[in-house]
Amino acid sequence: MKGPATDEGGAPLRVLHVAAEWFPAVKTGGLADVVAALPGAQRAAGLDARLLLPALPALRAALGGAVEVARVGAAFGAARVALLRGTLAGSDVPAYLIDAPWLYDRGGNPYLDPDGHEWRDNPRRFALLGWIAAQLAEGALDPGWAPRIVHAHDWHAALAPAYLAAHGTARTPLARARSVLTVHNLAFQGRFSIDRFAELDLPAWMAGPAGVEFHGDMRFLKGGLMFADRITTVSPTYAREILTPEGGHELDDVLRHRADRVVGIVNGIDDAVWNPATDAAIAERYDAKRLDGKAACKRALQAELGLAPRADAPLLAVVSRLSPQKGLDLLLSALPQWLGAGGQVALLGSGEPALEHAWQAAAHAAPDAVGVRLGYDESLAHRIVAGADLIAVPSRFEPCGLTQLYGLRYGTLPLVHRTGGLADTVVDADESALREDRATGFAFTGAHADALAQAMRHALDGWRHPGAWKRVMRRAMAQDTSWRAPAARYAALYRDALGLG
């Protein structure tokens, strides 16, 4: 019997990951971290995993050893499209970049212009991403390599399954590539006017309810959900939540129709990047057996943020987008109680102006207890995770969440709302879990400030018992948060999609 990393012929299973972001060159959220880490973990497990990304300026600059493997010509409004292959700096995963300067060589982030508005030609920009993925799968672009699995990530790549379905009927079932669509956050769907459908080069019938149309609009993610051979989300609890009207963001009916294809697989983290025993960004390295270094990290963080140098003050971290989804308005409501009990807060993030201003005001009112840095700084994120005692993720909904996984790895106990991947990865330190040595953090039910405040009081009670606190820290640090187990689950899913058992 062939292993999970091989196809029916015993060769390494060929997998193409299709996405718009890759850490560290292009990152707007956790998607970039996943795309950077999962293919490498799969290659370590024996799969032939590769990447397909748009040649955004930062990605083009990071591509080493680039060779042109195909000259596509004019496509999707671009006069010149070519496919490059190389490796991205710091990675050994082969990467294809779609070189289409008219579509990708511009400032801003992958989706928005420098003024924060969506690029007018986003339908063409991301349709090209899915179309090239299908062309690669059909062997039309790289004569030396074609994937058996096209693994598309979020709405940006979601039309890849549609293009495979549109053009794969002439191929034998055994030879046709199968598609997997991972929904990292169902709230983002790639929604455009249906009048733009003609720009996509898809069959006319896909403009209807059986294709990309939804309530009079065109939604890239809906198209992917209709045609993907397998649909994954980034945690088992989120996989259940998106089948409900409350969690389905209008697409719950579509997902329930395909519920037999929906699987939840919890994300991992890159434990070479996020490892307190080797992290060069933090003040002093440490591990579960040598925790003294964490105290040094706390002192350094307090000094960096201008906080009072108090070892006895529980320091709560936040590294997050500032948005209502992330529940940081709830944390603001509970903040006076936390500060009144002697706690401190270190926040790194950016987002909605109202939340930015509110957190800046909190820091101005209590500068020795609240440190706020707006924006994103990867090195500072490491220092905050290492230096804090707790890390708050009070999200109203959270498909998986990586922040709590970083907290577990660094012995920085997560304080989370029981939703999505937060519910799957953090065990509340209640009496039973403490007695059975299962506790890894603190969790509350119900996205409202009173429930969060109660959880914070629970955490304060735990903080006052240093021996028990250290036991929970060590249990948290003992969790396997790496990509090894998720990579194996994806390999099994791929073989199932291919009918290989």
Side-chain angles (χ1 to χ4, degrees), residues 45-377:
L47 279 73
D48 183 359
R50 302 190 182 190
L51 289 163
L52 175 66
L53 301 155
L56 301 166
L59 289 168
R60 184 68 179 84
L63 189 70
V67 296
E68 185 180 282
V69 297
R71 191 166 296 176
V72 179
F76 293 85
R80 180 177 70 81
V81 177
L83 188 65
L84 310 178
R85 186 184 65 228
T87 55
L88 294 162
S91 172
D92 61 358
V93 178
Y96 296 95
L97 293 192
I98 305 169
D99 188 27
W102 180 258
L103 294 174
Y104 301 135
D105 191 6
R106 55 183 73 169
N109 77 18
Y111 326 111
L112 307 176
D113 67 22
D115 295 324
H117 302 114
E118 284 192 0
W119 294 109
R120 177 73 175 78
D121 55 354
N122 271 350
R124 292 177 184 240
R125 299 173 75 230
F126 295 108
L128 177 61
L129 181 61
W131 183 80
I132 290 287
Q135 294 294 309
L136 260 173
E138 292 180 12
L141 297 179
D142 187 343
W145 193 86
R148 297 297 312 282
I149 294 290
V150 173
H151 189 154
H153 294 268
D154 267 351
W155 74 261
H156 331 113
L159 288 190
Y163 287 113
L164 283 170
H167 301 295
T169 53
R171 310 192 63 177
T172 65
L174 186 63
R176 184 176 73 83
R178 299 299 193 266
S179 59
V180 174
L181 173 61
T182 293
V183 179
H184 294 263
N185 190 333
L186 192 66
F188 301 105
Q189 300 176 7
R191 183 173 178 172
F192 308 102
S193 168
I194 195 67
D195 296 338
R196 310 289 298 275
F197 178 82
E199 301 174 17
L200 306 185
D201 194 26
L202 283 169
W205 66 267
M206 285 191 179
V212 301
E213 186 273 338
F214 190 75
H215 291 184
D217 291 322
M218 175 172 70
R219 302 196 190 185
F220 276 34
L221 187 62
K222 190 256 186 175
L225 295 174
M226 294 297 292
F227 297 109
D229 293 298
R230 296 293 184 275
I231 299 164
T232 75
T233 67
V234 288
S235 70
T237 295
Y238 191 60
R240 295 189 294 273
E241 290 173 348
I242 62 176
L243 301 179
T244 69
E246 295 78 16
H249 293 276
E250 300 184 312
L251 292 177
D252 51 292
D253 280 343
V254 175
L255 285 157
R256 283 194 296 272
H257 175 69
R258 308 217 66 208
D260 62 329
R261 304 296 177 95
V262 178
V263 176
I265 300 175
V266 172
N267 283 337
I269 61 174
D270 188 334
D271 54 3
V273 174
W274 291 92
N275 182 351
T278 60
D279 194 336
I282 65 179
E284 189 172 319
R285 297 170 187 176
Y286 64 93
D287 58 30
K289 294 181 180 178
R290 301 176 292 109
L291 288 173
D292 288 349
K294 187 162 179 60
C297 290
K298 180 175 180 176
R299 290 193 296 271
L301 180 63
Q302 287 171 325
E304 181 174 0
L305 298 182
L307 303 178
R310 293 178 48 205
D312 63 328
L315 177 51
L316 178 72
V318 177
V319 180
S320 177
R321 283 187 294 111
L322 304 187
S323 72
Q325 178 210 327
K326 297 297 184 178
L328 298 185
D329 54 324
L330 305 179
L331 189 56
L332 276 169
S333 297
L335 186 62
Q337 295 182 45
W338 179 256
L339 300 181
Q344 296 178 330
V345 174
L347 180 143
L348 172 65
S350 62
E352 296 197 1
L355 281 171
E356 289 187 358
H357 295 154
W359 278 101
Q360 284 180 309
H364 181 74
D368 61 342
V370 180
V372 171
R373 295 291 185 271
L374 296 181
Y376 188 73
D377 179 326

